[in-house]
């Protein structure tokens, strides 16, 4: 993979750091698929990608693995093929499974330098964040991007400084119950969620720009943290 344009921005030493790094991306939907691709295009040398979901027609409006031709296929398989086309030298570990509470040591204690959390399930997300914190593995977590229109209202901050976002509120509560009040980096939006139009139920609506931009912010944060390490 030609990283000459990357090297022009960050330098050869930083490119070498990215090539030596291993990052896990948990969840490959509207946020996680953009994280994984951005990290691959930035020259991260080893990726763990994890998801057990298959592509559905409703995914096509916002998820990189979702195309008419990929409906019914595992997102992890589609993303793995895409990432190998981008950088054949990137080492991929493809995990076709969902992250469940208790899975941290099974999947993520393998010299992972960073974790990108794009999990939908609140219970699984909370467990991942608590375990990453306890094991000292750096993590950046996506909060809610559904029912929102304004990507310019996204920001990177500590979980303790979030507001408005219902998912962030739930995570703060669950983390406090585990004795964790701060120290978890998140990408979240302080935009009030819009009310879903003409649809009842718990599934949120979503436009492509907010989850895609959240994923790009997460990838940017991870890259910057890796290249500044001594």
């Amino acid at each position: 993979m030609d990283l000459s344009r990357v090297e022009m921005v960050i330098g050869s030493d930083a490119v070498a750091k990215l090539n030596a790094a291993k990052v896990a991306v948990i969840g490959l939907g509207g946020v996680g698929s953009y994280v994984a691709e951005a990290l691959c295009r930035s020259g991260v040398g080893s990726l763990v990608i994890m998801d057990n979901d298959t592509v559905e027609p409703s995914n096509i409006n916002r998820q990189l693995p979702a195309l008419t031709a990929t409906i019914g296929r595992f997102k992890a398989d589609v993303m793995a093929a895409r990432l190998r086309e981008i950088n054949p030298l990137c080492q991929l570990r493809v995990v076709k499974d969902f992250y469940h509470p208790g899975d941290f040591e099974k999947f993520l204690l393998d010299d992972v330098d960073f974790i990108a959390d794009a999990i939908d399930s609140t219970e699984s997300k909370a467990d991942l964040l608590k375990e990453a914190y306890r094991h000292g593995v750096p993590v950046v977590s996506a909060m809610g991007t559904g029912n929102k229109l304004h990507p310019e209202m996204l920001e990177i901050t500590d979980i303790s400084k979030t507001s408005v976002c219902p998912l962030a509120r739930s995570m703060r509560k669950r983390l406090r119950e585990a004795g964790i009040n701060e120290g978890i980096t998140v990408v979240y939006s302080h935009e009030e969620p819009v009310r879903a139009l003409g649809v009842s139920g718990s599934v949120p609506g979503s436009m492509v720009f907010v989850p895609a931009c959240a994923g790009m912010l997460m990838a940017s944060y991870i890259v910057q943290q890796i290249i500044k390490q001594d």
Side-chain angles (χ1 to χ4, degrees):
M1 179 180 176
D2 185 346
L3 292 170
S4 57
R5 298 295 183 97
V6 175
E7 187 172 332
M8 289 168 65
V9 178
I10 64 176
S12 59
D13 289 345
V15 168
K17 288 181 180 180
L18 291 173
N19 183 60
K22 178 186 284 189
V23 180
V25 182
I26 314 301
L28 297 170
V31 176
S33 60
Y34 282 87
V35 179
E37 180 155 325
L39 292 174
C40 184
R41 290 185 184 275
S42 299
V44 171
S46 183
L47 291 170
V48 179
I49 57 173
M50 182 176 184
D51 199 306
N52 200 39
D53 207 358
T54 55
V55 176
E56 298 180 1
S58 62
N59 302 148
I60 293 176
N61 79 311
R62 67 195 184 283
Q63 300 183 14
L64 286 178
L67 305 168
T68 301
T70 62
I71 291 172
R73 292 181 58 191
F74 283 100
K75 294 176 186 178
D77 286 339
V78 178
M79 282 304 300
R82 186 178 175 98
L83 298 177
R84 290 186 178 111
E85 286 289 326
I86 294 168
N87 183 6
L89 298 179
C90 182
Q91 299 296 310
L92 288 179
R93 181 185 174 199
V94 182
V95 182
K96 284 190 288 187
D97 202 347
F98 292 119
Y99 180 92
H100 300 288
D103 279 349
F104 191 88
E105 295 189 11
K106 178 180 177 181
F107 291 120
L108 297 172
L109 281 186
D110 185 23
D111 300 324
V112 173
D113 299 297
F114 224 103
I115 297 171
D117 160 40
I119 297 173
D120 291 330
S121 163
T122 54
E123 185 177 358
S124 294
K125 180 182 286 287
D127 182 83
L128 174 64
L129 296 181
K130 287 185 283 190
E131 292 303 313
Y133 184 90
R134 288 168 178 163
H135 286 89
V137 181
V139 62
V140 59
S141 177
M143 296 294 105
T145 61
N147 292 335
K148 296 182 180 182
L149 282 169
H150 297 283
E152 70 274 15
M153 297 180 77
L154 290 161
E155 62 178 280
I156 303 170
T157 191
D158 190 87
I159 185 70
S160 62
K161 298 179 181 178
T162 57
S163 61
V164 178
C165 175
L167 180 56
R169 184 184 310 118
S170 174
M171 287 303 106
R172 290 197 307 270
K173 180 178 183 294
R174 289 169 181 262
L175 290 169
R176 280 198 307 270
E177 290 171 351
I180 302 169
N181 294 307
E182 58 185 0
I184 302 290
T185 301
V186 301
V187 170
Y188 98 106
S189 173
H190 54 273
E191 177 185 2
E192 291 279 359
V194 301
R195 186 179 298 276
L197 301 176
V199 179
S200 60
S202 59
V203 178
S206 187
M207 304 292 288
V208 64
F209 357 98
V210 181
C213 287
M216 288 296 184
L217 282 171
M218 290 170 70
S220 172
Y221 178 80
I222 292 169
V223 166
Q224 292 181 61
Q225 293 299 304
I226 289 172
I227 65 177
K228 79 176 187 180
Q229 294 173 357
D230 294 330

